[in-house]
């Protein structure tokens, strides 16, 4: 699995590099190697059915033996959609008649071949497919690529496969590829976003979310103790048994909590911890460390997921009451979900 992830990473790097290479670069030699990874095709946890995955891999392994299949697909795609050639800065102005002998064109064709190979080999892993689709969306968004272009590329790919494979490209194989292309387009559509909207694979947070939450928190930060007090009081009134998790003020009447020293200590502790986590959102290691600390220090107290969810819901309601925008609230919801999943994972 480690070697597979390395192969995936290298392919993504190659793909993104090819997309961003400066105009005018001349490539005289094109070298391509395709890594085949065996996966458990009986697993139903990946993308598509096991049968579709098996058919796609077998027909793809047969088709890619022809060294011209990648240039054929890209050339046919550009020929069918001439305007798209402008999106490839390295050969945007090369006459179509010269493309099949142009080094930059061939480099792009074989980069696509390598990327497509990785996609096909990662069909059995939702995690790896998600990483690949995120990379595809992030690499293509700045170039103005829209989902329909991937659909059109899929049509051309299907046509070339039929020519290459002949009778081997059966009705069953055609349907498997249609299913695969549809799934790919759907996945890319979901991830064809601005770079700031792409979530970090470890923290699960995007720069957009971090910016929104930290900005709006700055306006609330001075009054964080008052906010946490309000949330706790409402939480205990809604669900009295939650107060029992706090032994030092478990039996204090809710209406008397604001004057209770132990309660106010807990409020300050929670408010400061929340402040620390939000301030660390753009520091991956520190954020993950804070989440893990919260998780392991609360495991001993046996606090279930429910109270955390209720706290988060009341926090969102408080922010909304203070005029936090809908867009910022969405970022808060996503962030609190990440915090919650780290501190109190679902069983």
């Amino acid at each position: 699995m480690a070697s597979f992830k390395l192969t995936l990473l290298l392919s993504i790097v190659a793909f993104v590099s090819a997309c961003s290479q400066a105009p005018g670069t001349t490539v005289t030699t094109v070298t391509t190697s395709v890594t085949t990874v065996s996966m458990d095709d009986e697993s139903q946890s990946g993308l598509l059915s096991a049968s579709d995955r098996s058919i796609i891999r077998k027909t793809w392994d047969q088709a890619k033996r022809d060294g011209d299949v990648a240039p054929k697909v890209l050339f046919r795609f550009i020929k069918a959609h001439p305007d798209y050639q402008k999106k490839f800065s390295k050969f945007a102005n090369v006459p179509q008649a010269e493309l099949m002998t142009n080094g930059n064109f061939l480099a792009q064709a074989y980069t696509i071949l390598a990327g497509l190979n990785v996609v096909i080999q990662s069909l059995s892993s939702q995690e790896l497919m998600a990483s690949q689709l995120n990379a595809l969306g992030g690499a293509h968004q700045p170039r103005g690529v829209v989902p329909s272009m991937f659909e059109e590329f899929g049509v051309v790919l299907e046509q070339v496969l039929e020519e290459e494979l002949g009778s081997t490209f059966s009705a069953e194989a055609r349907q498997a590829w249609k299913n695969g292309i549809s799934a790919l387009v759907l996945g890319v559509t979901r991830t064809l976003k601005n770079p700031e909207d792409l979530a970090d694979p470890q923290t699960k947070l995007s720069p957009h979310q971090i910016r929104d939450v930290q900005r709006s928190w700055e306006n609330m930060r001075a009054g964080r103790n008052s906010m946490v007090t309000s949330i706790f009081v409402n939480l205990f009134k809604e669900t009295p048994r939650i107060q029992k998790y706090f032994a030092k003020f478990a039996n204090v009447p809710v209406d008397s909590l604001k004057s209770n020293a132990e309660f106010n200590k807990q409020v300050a502790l929670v408010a400061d911890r929340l402040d620390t986590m939000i301030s660390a959102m753009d520091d991956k290691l520190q954020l993950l460390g804070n989440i893990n600390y919260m998780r392991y220090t609360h495991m001993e107290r046996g606090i279930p997921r429910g109270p955390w969810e209720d706290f988060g819901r009341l926090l969102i309601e408080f922010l909304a009451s203070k005029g936090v925008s809908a867009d910022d609230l969405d970022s808060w919801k996503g962030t609190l979900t990440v915090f919650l999943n780290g501190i109190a994972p679902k069983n």
Side-chain angles (χ1 to χ4, degrees):
M1 180 60 73
S3 61
F4 178 60
K5 290 186 176 181
L6 177 59
T7 302
L8 175 63
L9 176 62
L10 292 175
S11 296
I12 291 173
V13 170
F15 184 83
V16 175
S17 298
C19 290
S20 59
Q21 193 170 336
T25 302
T26 300
V27 179
T28 55
T29 302
V30 178
T31 303
T32 179
S33 62
V34 178
T35 302
T36 300
V37 182
S38 297
M39 302 289 285
D40 180 10
D41 275 335
E42 297 305 315
S43 169
Q44 297 296 333
S45 63
L47 193 67
L48 304 177
S49 68
S51 175
D52 280 351
R53 296 197 303 265
S54 177
I55 291 172
I56 289 173
R57 289 204 185 103
K58 288 178 181 177
T59 51
W60 178 244
D61 285 343
Q62 183 176 346
K64 70 187 180 186
R65 293 170 190 163
D66 182 351
D68 291 334
V69 68
K72 283 180 182 177
V73 172
L74 184 56
F75 180 77
R76 186 81 62 86
F77 178 63
I78 289 175
K79 187 175 181 180
H81 308 282
D83 291 344
Y84 294 170
Q85 186 174 344
K86 297 300 180 182
K87 297 186 180 297
F88 298 93
S89 60
K90 295 171 292 182
F91 52 88
N93 298 312
V94 175
Q96 278 193 10
E98 300 175 13
L99 284 176
M100 292 294 279
T101 58
N102 180 271
N104 286 321
F105 171 84
L106 293 173
Q108 183 65 54
Y110 286 107
T111 297
I112 291 174
L113 175 71
L116 185 56
N117 184 67
V118 173
V119 169
I120 291 170
Q121 296 301 333
S122 60
L123 287 173
S124 296
S125 170
Q126 293 182 0
E127 177 186 357
L128 292 173
M129 276 301 300
S131 296
Q132 178 75 336
L133 293 175
N134 275 336
L136 283 171
H140 286 80
Q141 193 280 336
R143 298 166 64 186
V145 174
V146 296
S148 61
M149 295 180 185
F150 284 92
E151 293 177 352
E152 292 160 349
F153 184 85
V155 170
V156 172
L157 175 60
E158 185 181 324
Q159 292 171 350
V160 173
L161 287 174
E162 184 175 16
E163 293 176 4
E164 291 292 318
L165 299 176
S167 60
T168 303
F169 198 66
S170 62
E172 187 180 23
R174 183 189 303 277
Q175 189 58 54
W177 275 94
K178 286 184 182 296
N179 294 341
I181 291 168
S182 295
L184 175 62
V185 171
L186 178 61
V188 171
T189 298
R190 292 172 177 169
T191 59
L192 199 59
K193 303 174 181 177
N194 289 311
E196 70 166 15
D197 292 324
L198 296 175
D200 182 274
Q202 288 182 287
T203 66
K204 311 302 181 186
L205 294 173
S206 70
H208 184 163
Q209 289 174 308
I210 294 172
R211 182 198 65 211
D212 289 350
V213 169
Q214 288 184 332
R215 184 187 62 243
S216 54
W217 176 250
E218 195 59 35
N219 296 328
M220 305 285 173
R221 190 168 181 268
R224 62 186 182 276
N225 283 22
S226 176
M227 178 189 73
V228 173
T229 296
S230 175
I231 291 173
F232 268 140
V233 168
N234 288 330
L235 181 62
F236 297 157
K237 285 182 177 180
E238 279 187 3
T239 313
R241 68 176 181 276
I242 294 178
Q243 189 176 341
K244 301 302 180 182
Y245 289 108
F246 301 91
K248 293 182 179 180
F249 53 87
N251 298 312
V252 176
V254 174
D255 292 336
S256 302
L257 283 173
K258 292 182 181 179
S259 60
N260 182 274
E262 294 299 334
F263 173 75
N264 288 321
K265 287 181 182 178
Q266 183 66 38
V267 164
L269 179 64
V270 172
D272 287 345
R273 177 58 58 183
L274 186 58
D275 180 54
T276 297
M277 292 177 69
I278 292 172
S279 299
M281 285 172 65
D282 50 4
D283 185 327
K284 183 187 303 186
L285 293 179
Q286 187 177 350
L287 174 61
L288 294 175
N290 279 316
I291 290 176
N292 285 330
Y293 173 79
M294 290 285 287
R295 178 179 180 179
Y296 291 112
T297 55
H298 285 78
M299 283 176 63
E300 297 179 356
R301 299 172 61 187
I303 300 177
R305 184 180 173 92
W308 294 99
E309 292 177 334
D310 290 336
F311 185 94
R313 171 177 54 79
L314 291 170
L315 174 55
I316 293 295
E317 291 177 4
F318 181 91
L319 294 171
S321 73
K322 296 300 181 180
V324 174
S325 69
D327 187 54
D328 283 1
L329 285 177
D330 285 341
S331 292
W332 271 95
K333 290 174 184 176
T335 298
L336 290 176
T337 297
V338 169
F339 289 176
L340 175 62
N341 289 340
I343 296 170
K346 293 181 178 180
N347 294 328

